[in-house]
Amino acid sequence: MSDEQKTPSRPRQLWNQAVKVVKGDSTEQLIEQFTAEMTLVAEGLCDDQGRLRKEVETLRTEQDQTAQRLQSEQEAQETALLEAQRDMDRRLDDISRRLTAMEAKMNAKPPKEKEPAKKQLNLVGQLTILASIIAGAWVLVTILNLFK
């Protein structure tokens, strides 16, 4: 029962306090307290906003520096890539010229090789004729020696 008695009186007390505050013996004091608290909150927000602006500016500066560094690295890599491409082009041109020269030499060699082969055939033919002459002379000498 004591709970039931406290329950109706508690809302009544709150109502009385609210009416008292609204009617206002201390309205000016409440306004001043509210104004002081709001000023404190506004100053805190202003400080926070100032820190955020500084942090944003710092981040922008870091981002700009990072972007410049990345751009310079990219340009250096592009330059290195172009140099490597030019070097490869030069090497390919050199290899192509060498290959063309080798093909020309190979195409020019077969006639030179055919000439020694003809000379060898001529030499073999001449040796055969010489051998037949010697063999014929030997046969003749042997026959003549038989008739003596």
Side-chain angles (χ1 to χ4, degrees):
M1 286 190 191
S2 64
D3 289 336
E4 290 179 11
Q5 290 176 350
K6 286 183 181 179
T7 306
S9 66
R10 181 74 177 146
R12 182 106 26 215
Q13 285 176 351
L14 289 173
W15 178 257
N16 289 337
Q17 284 179 350
V19 169
K20 191 177 190 182
V21 168
V22 171
K23 283 186 179 177
D25 289 338
S26 60
T27 304
E28 290 178 19
Q29 183 183 9
L30 289 174
I31 291 173
E32 201 166 305
Q33 183 182 2
F34 177 77
T35 304
E37 289 176 2
M38 289 306 290
T39 303
L40 182 64
V41 169
E43 287 175 354
L45 288 174
C46 184
D47 289 342
D48 289 346
Q49 191 176 25
R51 276 185 292 219
L52 286 174
R53 282 184 183 151
K54 286 179 184 177
E55 190 173 330
V56 166
E57 188 62 34
T58 303
L59 289 174
R60 282 183 183 161
T61 304
E62 288 176 4
Q63 182 184 10
D64 289 343
Q65 290 173 350
T66 303
Q68 288 174 353
R69 182 175 42 85
L70 288 174
Q71 186 176 7
S72 64
E73 287 177 6
Q74 182 181 6
E75 288 172 357
Q77 288 179 351
E78 286 175 354
T79 303
L81 183 63
L82 286 174
E83 280 185 35
Q85 183 67 35
R86 288 180 191 143
D87 187 43
M88 288 297 256
D89 288 343
R90 276 187 245 125
R91 286 181 181 178
L92 285 173
D93 288 342
D94 185 45
I95 290 171
S96 177
R97 275 187 262 122
R98 286 182 181 179
L99 184 61
T100 303
M102 290 175 104
E103 286 176 346
K105 284 181 181 179
M106 288 189 71
N107 289 337
K109 273 188 177 180
K112 290 180 181 178
E113 290 176 0
K114 288 179 182 177
E115 289 177 14
K118 286 181 182 178
K119 287 180 183 177
Q120 286 177 350
L121 288 177
N122 286 338
L123 183 64
V124 169
Q126 290 174 357
L127 286 175
T128 306
I129 291 172
L130 184 63
S132 63
I133 291 173
I134 292 173
W138 179 74
V139 167
L140 247 162
V141 169
T142 308
I143 292 177
L144 285 176
N145 279 335
L146 273 174
F147 290 119
K148 270 187 194 184

